[in-house]
Amino acid sequence: AIAEKIPFGSRAPVQLRFRCRGESRKPFGIFSAMAKKSKVLKQKKAPKDFEKDKRKVGKKKKAAQNDTKTDFKVRQINMPAQSVLVEKGEEVTHRKLGLLELLAHVQHHSPKVRRESFQGLRELCTLHEGVLRSNLARIIDATATAPIDAHAEVRSAFTDFQAWLISTVSRITIVSFASTFALHVRTALSHVSSDVRSDGLGLLELYLRELGREQLFSLDEVSHLLGILCQLTSQMDAVLACLYQLLGLHADNAAAASVEATAPEVAVSGVGPGRPLPPQASLHTILQGKLQLVGSGGRGACLRSNEASGVVTDSSTWSYCLRSWLQAGELPFGNIPAGDRNALRAASRPGWLRLQAAAVLERLLQRIVEGHEWDTSLRPSASQLAALVGIVRRDEWPIRTDTRGTFRVLADAINLRVARVFALIAVGGVAPEGSRQHVARLASAAVQFLDEFSGTMFARGGVGSQKGGALSDSDTHGLLLSGSGGVSHILCTLGMFWACSTSVLASPGSDPLAPAGSAASGQSAVLEPGDVSHLLAATTRLASGDSLSNPAADLGAAGVLSAPCLLAVPLTASLLGLRPHAITASVPGPLRAVWPESLAFVGEPSFVSFLERAQPGCAESWVTTWPRLLWYLGAADSATSGLILSFLLELAKKAAQSGSLHERLLGLACPLLVPFLGGRPGTGPDSGPPPLALLSARHSGPQGTVALLLPHFPKMSEPFVKLIVGLICRWSDIGTACDGKSGKELPPARLGDDCCELLLEAVLVGRPSLASELLPLRLRTALSVLCALPREPPLTAARAIRAECSALRLASTVADWLMQDCNLSGTGNASLGPEGRACLALQTLVWPLCKQALAAAPSLGPRVLCFMFFCSLRLPQGDPAIAASEGALVDSPRHSLLGELFSALMLRDESCALHWRGSCGAIGKDSGVGAAAALTLPVFSFLNPEEGEQCGQHPEETLAQLRLCRIFLAAWMRIAGDAHRPAAYELLAKLCAQHLSSSLASGEEERADTTTKRRKVEEATSAAGERSHGDESGQSLVVLSACTALLQEAISYRNTHSLPTDGWGSLGLCRFGVCDRMTSSSPSALSAELEPLLRRAARAC
């Protein structure tokens, strides 16, 4: 009301006073001053209802308070393309997300988006391979923080993505990011959240399973991971699995060498200059036995540790495994229905925990024994060994269960792995000083268990059972031991304990049954005498099977077929002193796991004397099993058969010492090899190939080893020699030329040429002491080999060539024996020199053998000629002056042999040596197929004819005849001797000319008969059903062709060697069957007579 009374535009100051009821009249301070005009004017009055606002001229009407502006402005923008769409391109997921968006989603605040980002990355990289190949580093770096994500679904998606990534990318590419993968594991396992640590264990197991420890972690990181894992006590299953994989992979020996942490060397009074300071430890630690003393004596003998103090307390890995064993509980004794998987899994969990703990300790000790120890904290302390002894004393080991129960295979695996842990402690030297008694107790318990287990193993059907199949689903790391794997484990453990026994059993001059720790041993023994008896009993039971209880068991005995008999061969061979590591034969795959490495580490000592005294007959049971194994193996495993034969060969070398155990063992093993060499006794040659013929035919293979073993046989009886000769004739390339199918190059079973030669040499040479006794038998052997032929014609020309080449190689072996090794130095021949004995062997042994071969098989003329050539190569060519003093050729002791040689090999159609009928049978119409190829052995290297020359309608036959002529000529000249070559040439030329003339004369008379007469003879012969023996004209043509070819080669030989012909006609050649006219003819007269004869012979042939 007051304001309304003030005139508009008045500037007079106004003082406003307000007074409330009940209060004193005082001015209100804020309004005590005059209000400014501007402030008053700015105050707006609220519009009254239905009052019209006054507007000035030219002003627009004010908009209402609830009025919305709808006006807008439009401007043109030029956008050729959208940058977001260009960056994505075609490489997107089904949700149109590219790589950059997916990598950004990995760090999204929503866990669902982060989880889906890994799924999208997998989809994108699967659809577009180039994305993963070009952006692998970006993807791995962007996902590095996912292992420690706060949400389990994201960590699970990351683990799945990593598993897919490892399986997709090559190993070489993935390994280059090993540091990032190691970072994943370290950050996850060190996280404060137990869930993150649990998923980190799964990630570590994935990396170890797919990549391997040596690809990811250094030795320092492995030691760090072991310490972290041993602190995770809530997840023993996963931790033990990771420990098993971390310790079980091989690493570089140089990098895995032991790290020795020694104290700094300072000069201390009372200690000496340059000596390390003694480590300091608390009295409580020392009294509890938690120190390890590594090394003894010498400079630097101190306590080693991975800590700077030098004190080694309880190993964290050992403590974790022992804690897992104690907390696991007992394994049920009875059965659980196989269908109830949940109950089976819950009941078997104690057994799985104990099995994993034993497997971790086994691998840890194996690393130490092999020299791959990188941290001394892996070694047990004295208190931890005492804890193991406590487990044995409380009967917590060995675990007893029902022999037919569900958990027998699990209990067997636990018991066997713990036994090997005890063996590694005994053999590896990992026990600290002062714990020798603990080691002896553990070793004694393990040996007794192995003896008991091996005794019941065959009765229970071996290691493991079929009932354990329900447990095999949980065996992701192959910890269960069944079948041959369990037997291999037992044999390796036995080998370690045998290596521990060398100080007592193999020391020179020591009593093998002396008490442990005696002065003879020089040191405290690990095994007691009773324990050694248990060890020998277990080894014998595994190595001999049922043959120990029944030594005369037939080849069908079931015990010989058991896997332990085969797998125990390397161990028993090492115990017998055969030194398996010295054998050059390759070790087969199944036997590598049981190779006696522990015995090799201690020098492979021989336990032969101990075996004889401790248990007579055990060595015989071991060795007599080997030939039976060879029979059963057959062609199944050539490498294993070769290794067993190598052991037998090494045994034969040891048997050279007369009266030794090795000699007796060889005598027992040799008769048992007969079925392996020639088949089961009493069967015919067509019953099937022997096991030897089914093995590898290489010179260094099993067949070659058998050939080397044969000369060491103590006795070469006549039945055994016949067996070997039949083996050569039937299963060499000669006898197998008609076996198998025609499309195959080689028969299914055969003996190699090298093996046949060595077998024949072993029979012919053998032991020198038996040479005179076996001479008639060996001569029959030589004749049988020379006359060897296939039962039927060869299937192919290649088979025929191979057969004839093999026959010629065997003929060369026989010639070498007859001319060099055959014993002809009797009392009447002692005065003969080497040349005289060789000439005597040629006349009294070689030529009679050739005549018998020609009588038995006339078609073998070319082979007999080659055999004579081989023998002539062994004739010593003496001094020409000495040979000239013997007189002319007719007075030489070899003259009679030349006449017989020409008559037998040239003048008889059926045995003509220059007419190749195919000694191994004709193939097709051409009987000389492969003849030239059969004469390409290295011994015929001097035969280099021009193959294009003298090749008519049948080039193979013509070439073979040409080569045979040169062989005949070379043998003729060597038999005659260097000093008598001109006379030998005269004799050969006149003999050929004489028979050439007679053959042409008889041929002209026979060709006077008409063709009709010849046809009538052929028809009459075929109607009678009889085979025609060949007409006289055919015989004349064979002799005519042979004499013509030989005469031409003789003339070429004379021209090449410039043999003189001045003395022709002066030699008396009548005794060789040369007529008087030919004997007295000069070279010019003979040449004039031969020229028309050769032209007529060319037309006739």
Side-chain angles (χ1 to χ4, degrees):
I2 296 175
E4 292 179 355
K5 294 180 179 180
I6 298 175
F8 183 78
S10 173
R11 295 184 178 180
V14 178
Q15 184 176 7
L16 299 179
R17 293 179 181 270
F18 298 90
R19 185 179 62 183
C20 299
R21 186 177 297 180
E23 293 184 358
S24 60
R25 295 181 178 179
K26 291 183 180 181
F28 198 71
I30 191 171
F31 296 104
S32 60
M34 183 182 297
K36 293 183 179 181
K37 178 180 178 181
S38 60
K39 294 183 178 180
V40 176
L41 293 177
K42 288 182 179 179
Q43 295 179 358
K44 295 183 180 181
K45 300 177 182 179
K48 296 181 180 180
D49 295 338
F50 307 106
E51 183 178 1
K52 185 177 180 180
D53 294 337
K54 296 180 180 180
R55 292 177 295 174
K56 295 181 179 181
V57 179
K59 297 293 184 179
K60 294 182 180 181
K61 183 180 177 180
K62 295 183 179 178
Q65 293 182 355
N66 60 349
D67 183 43
T68 302
K69 293 183 178 181
T70 58
D71 56 340
F72 58 90
K73 296 180 180 179
V74 179
R75 292 185 180 181
Q76 185 177 3
I77 300 174
N78 185 14
M79 184 179 294
Q82 298 185 23
S83 60
V84 176
L85 296 179
V86 171
E87 186 175 354
K88 289 184 178 181
E90 298 180 356
E91 297 175 346
V92 292
T93 63
H94 73 283
R95 298 177 59 186
K96 304 302 180 182
L97 296 177
L99 177 64
L100 294 181
E101 290 176 319
L102 291 173
L103 294 180
H105 288 178
V106 172
Q107 307 297 333
H108 200 271
H109 62 86
S110 174
K112 180 180 178 181
V113 176
R114 295 198 301 271
R115 182 197 64 191
E116 293 177 351
S117 66
F118 289 105
Q119 300 174 357
L121 284 174
R122 180 172 179 177
E123 178 188 354
L124 179 64
C125 297
T126 303
L127 295 177
H128 309 283
E129 298 180 357
V131 175
L132 183 62
R133 190 165 49 248
S134 58
N135 300 279
L136 180 61
R138 181 186 296 183
I139 295 174
I140 292 178
D141 292 341
T143 58
T145 59
I148 56 174
D149 194 279
H151 294 80
E153 55 180 349
V154 180
R155 297 192 301 270
S156 177
F158 172 74
T159 303
D160 295 339
F161 177 75
Q162 290 295 98
W164 171 83
L165 185 67
I166 294 173
S167 63
T168 304
V169 183
S170 64
R171 177 66 62 88
I172 299 176
T173 305
I174 282 292
V175 169
S176 60
F177 299 96
S179 59
T180 305
F181 291 168
L183 179 63
H184 294 167
V185 175
R186 289 197 303 268
T187 55
L189 293 180
S190 303
H191 203 270
V192 295
S193 174
S194 60
D195 295 336
V196 176
R197 293 196 300 269
S198 176
D199 292 339
L201 282 175
L203 191 62
L204 174 61
E205 188 173 4
L206 170 67
Y207 289 163
L208 291 176
R209 182 178 65 252
E210 299 296 336
L211 298 178
R213 190 210 70 189
E214 68 275 7
Q215 303 287 351
L216 290 177
F217 308 111
S218 63
L219 297 181
D220 295 336
E221 289 175 340
V222 170
S223 300
H224 181 64
L225 283 177
L226 291 178
I228 294 177
L229 291 174
C230 292
Q231 296 175 6
L232 306 178
T233 58
S234 60
Q235 300 177 356
M236 289 186 176
D237 295 342
V239 171
L240 289 173
C242 292
L243 289 175
Y244 181 76
Q245 295 182 78
L246 276 174
L247 294 171
L249 301 172
H250 296 285
D252 187 11
N253 293 342
S258 301
V259 180
E260 185 174 359
T262 58
E265 296 185 358
V266 295
V268 182
S269 176
V271 179
R275 292 184 178 274
L277 287 173
Q280 303 296 323
S282 63
L283 181 62
H284 179 73
T285 303
I286 296 175
L287 293 178
Q288 285 188 345
K290 295 183 178 181
L291 292 181
Q292 290 182 359
L293 185 61
V294 182
S296 60
R299 181 177 179 181
C302 62
L303 294 175
R304 297 191 308 172
S305 174
N306 59 339
E307 301 178 357
S309 61
V311 178
V312 177
T313 59
D314 285 347
S315 170
S316 60
T317 309
W318 278 82
S319 298
Y320 192 88
C321 293
L322 291 175
R323 188 188 307 115
S324 302
W325 179 281
L326 296 175
Q327 294 179 1
E330 297 294 333
L331 189 66
F333 186 82
N335 292 325
I336 290 183
D340 193 353
R341 294 284 180 176
N342 295 330
L344 180 63
R345 189 180 299 107
S348 62
R349 187 176 184 276
W352 283 114
L353 284 176
R354 290 190 171 185
L355 179 60
Q356 287 177 314
V360 170
L361 293 180
E362 179 186 357
R363 280 198 167 180
L364 187 148
L365 291 171
Q366 189 70 32
R367 304 278 303 184
I368 298 175
V369 171
E370 292 176 354
H372 297 163
E373 180 187 9
W374 65 86
D375 193 352
T376 55
S377 64
L378 302 179
R379 293 174 175 264
S381 64
S383 61
Q384 290 170 338
L385 289 181
L388 285 178
V389 175
I391 291 175
V392 177
R393 286 180 175 177
R394 293 191 301 270
D395 289 336
E396 296 181 14
W397 183 87
I399 298 176
R400 308 292 180 181
T401 185
D402 189 5
T403 56
R404 298 183 179 180
T406 307
F407 305 103
R408 183 175 73 85
V409 61
L410 185 57
D412 289 346
I414 297 171
N415 294 333
L416 292 177
R417 291 194 179 275
V418 173
R420 189 169 185 180
V421 168
F422 295 167
L424 288 169
I425 293 174
V427 76
V430 299
E433 295 292 339
S435 58
R436 192 73 177 179
Q437 185 177 4
H438 295 332
V439 176
R441 290 178 179 177
L442 296 177
S444 177
V447 170
Q448 293 179 14
F449 162 74
L450 292 175
D451 185 16
E452 176 187 356
F453 185 82
S454 63
T456 59
M457 184 179 64
F458 290 102
R460 295 185 303 171
V463 183
S465 65
Q466 296 297 330
K467 286 190 176 183
L471 296 173
S472 60
D473 298 339
S474 303
D475 189 16
T476 56
H477 299 290
L479 300 181
L480 293 178
L481 300 174
S482 59
S484 59
V487 176
S488 302
H489 205 275
I490 297 174
L491 291 171
C492 288
T493 306
L494 291 175
M496 294 178 188
F497 283 121
W498 278 111
C500 297
S501 307
T502 54
S503 59
V504 177
L505 304 179
S507 299
S510 63
D511 186 6
L513 300 180
S518 61
S521 63
Q523 57 179 340
S524 179
V526 176
L527 296 178
E528 299 289 340
D531 300 331
V532 178
S533 301
H534 289 298
L535 182 62
L536 180 58
T539 305
T540 303
R541 194 174 291 111
L542 292 173
S544 56
D546 295 339
S547 61
L548 181 62
S549 58
N550 187 15
D554 185 65
L555 290 176
V560 184
L561 288 171
S562 60
C565 298
L566 177 61
L567 296 176
V569 170
L571 177 60
T572 54
S574 181
L575 296 178
L576 291 174
L578 303 183
R579 302 180 65 84
H581 280 75
I583 295 177
T584 58
S586 59
V587 182
L591 298 182
R592 290 176 186 169
V594 296
W595 203 251
E597 299 287 349
S598 302
L599 289 170
F601 183 76
V602 296
E604 293 184 312
S606 177
F607 292 81
V608 173
S609 58
F610 166 74
L611 297 175
E612 275 294 285
R613 293 192 296 269
Q615 188 176 351
C618 66
E620 287 85 346
S621 65
W622 296 352
V623 175
T624 53
T625 306
W626 297 353
R628 304 182 183 211
L629 291 174
L630 290 172
W631 165 262
Y632 283 115
L633 285 174
D637 193 343
S638 180
T640 304
S641 299
L643 184 64
I644 297 176
L645 290 170
S646 299
F647 288 146
L648 289 173
L649 180 60
E650 192 68 22
L651 177 65
K653 295 177 182 178
K654 296 279 185 180
Q657 183 179 359
S658 179
S660 62
L661 175 63
H662 295 103
E663 184 182 14
R664 188 166 72 252
L665 294 178
L666 181 64
L668 294 174
C670 285
L672 298 177
L673 286 173
V674 172
F676 171 73
L677 298 176
R680 187 182 291 271
T683 58
D686 298 331
S687 60
L692 178 62
L694 298 172
L695 298 179
S696 174
R698 294 184 294 108
H699 176 70
S700 58
Q703 293 186 3
T705 307
V706 169
L708 296 176
L709 176 64
L710 198 61
H712 296 278
F713 273 49
K715 185 178 180 180
M716 283 283 184
S717 61
E718 184 174 355
F720 184 73
V721 171
K722 291 182 177 180
L723 173 70
I724 299 300
V725 174
L727 180 69
I728 296 173
C729 296
R730 172 63 184 88
W731 297 108
S732 63
D733 286 333
I734 305 174
T736 58
C738 56
D739 294 347
K741 299 180 180 180
S742 59
K744 299 292 184 179
E745 181 182 359
L746 295 176
R750 60 182 285 268
L751 292 179
D753 291 339
D754 295 331
C755 176
C756 292
E757 286 189 65
L758 293 174
L759 289 176
L760 181 60
E761 184 178 354
V763 172
L764 295 178
V765 179
R767 295 193 175 185
S769 59
L770 304 176
S772 57
E773 302 176 7
L774 298 177
L775 181 58
L777 180 61
R778 288 171 175 173
L779 289 174
R780 292 196 298 269
T781 298
L783 179 61
S784 301
V785 171
L786 283 177
C787 299
L789 288 172
R791 297 169 298 168
E792 298 177 1
L795 298 178
T796 60
R799 294 278 190 94
I801 295 171
R802 188 184 297 273
E804 194 61 32
C805 289
S806 178
L808 293 180
R809 292 184 62 173
L810 295 177
S812 178
T813 303
V814 174
D816 189 69
W817 169 69
L818 287 172
M819 299 301 295
Q820 296 181 2
D821 299 323
C822 189
N823 185 13
L824 289 177
S825 56
T827 55
N829 303 324
S831 59
L832 296 176
E835 185 177 0
R837 287 196 295 270
C839 293
L840 182 61
L842 188 68
Q843 297 174 16
T844 59
L845 295 179
V846 175
W847 183 239
L849 200 64
C850 292
K851 290 191 292 186
Q852 293 184 26
L854 290 175
S859 62
L860 295 179
R863 187 186 299 179
V864 172
L865 173 60
C866 294
F867 174 65
M868 283 296 299
F869 169 72
F870 295 147
C871 294
S872 67
L873 291 179
R874 276 78 176 178
L875 282 174
Q877 300 297 315
D879 189 1
I882 300 178
S885 62
E886 297 177 355
L889 177 64
V890 295
D891 301 327
S892 174
R894 310 178 188 179
H895 73 280
S896 59
L897 182 59
L898 293 177
E900 295 181 11
L901 181 65
F902 187 87
S903 175
L905 298 180
M906 292 294 297
L907 302 182
R908 297 176 184 175
D909 173 57
E910 65 277 3
S911 63
C912 182
L914 304 188
H915 182 68
W916 193 288
R917 291 173 176 80
S919 299
C920 288
I923 304 172
K925 295 189 297 181
D926 296 334
S927 60
V929 172
L935 300 176
T936 56
L937 295 176
V939 72
F940 302 120
S941 58
F942 69 96
L943 302 175
N944 294 314
E946 296 293 336
E947 298 188 6
E949 298 179 0
Q950 303 180 7
C951 294
Q953 185 178 0
H954 305 289
E956 289 287 347
E957 293 185 4
T958 306
L959 184 59
Q961 187 182 58
L962 182 61
R963 292 186 172 184
L964 288 172
C965 289
R966 295 192 176 187
I967 292 174
F968 186 95
L969 193 59
W972 182 277
M973 293 301 177
R974 290 194 63 88
I975 293 174
D978 292 340
H980 302 295
R981 285 188 179 184
Y985 167 68
E986 179 186 0
L987 175 61
L988 182 59
K990 291 183 177 181
L991 285 174
C992 290
Q994 177 177 332
H995 290 286
L996 183 61
S997 177
S998 61
S999 298
L1000 286 174
S1002 61
E1004 289 178 356
E1005 295 177 359
E1006 293 166 0
R1007 280 192 297 274
D1009 298 336
T1010 59
T1011 307
T1012 306
K1013 182 179 179 180
R1014 185 181 299 112
R1015 186 181 299 112
K1016 290 181 179 181
V1017 174
E1018 292 177 357
E1019 291 175 357
T1021 304
S1022 60
E1026 299 178 356
R1027 182 179 61 87
S1028 176
H1029 295 279
D1031 53 320
E1032 295 297 329
S1033 62
Q1035 295 181 6
S1036 301
L1037 287 178
V1038 170
V1039 176
L1040 180 63
S1041 175
C1043 291
T1044 303
L1046 183 59
L1047 183 58
Q1048 291 176 352
E1049 284 302 315
I1051 295 173
S1052 299
Y1053 181 87
R1054 181 260 173 190
N1055 296 333
T1056 302
H1057 295 82
S1058 302
L1059 296 180
T1061 58
D1062 300 338
W1064 275 38
S1066 60
L1067 298 177
L1069 301 180
C1070 298
R1071 67 179 65 183
F1072 296 101
V1074 181
C1075 62
D1076 296 337
R1077 182 177 59 83
M1078 285 290 180
T1079 301
S1080 59
S1081 59
S1082 62
S1084 57
L1086 184 62
S1087 177
E1089 184 179 355
L1090 285 177
E1091 187 174 352
L1093 290 178
L1094 292 176
R1095 286 197 298 267
R1096 291 166 57 191
R1099 289 194 302 268
C1101 295

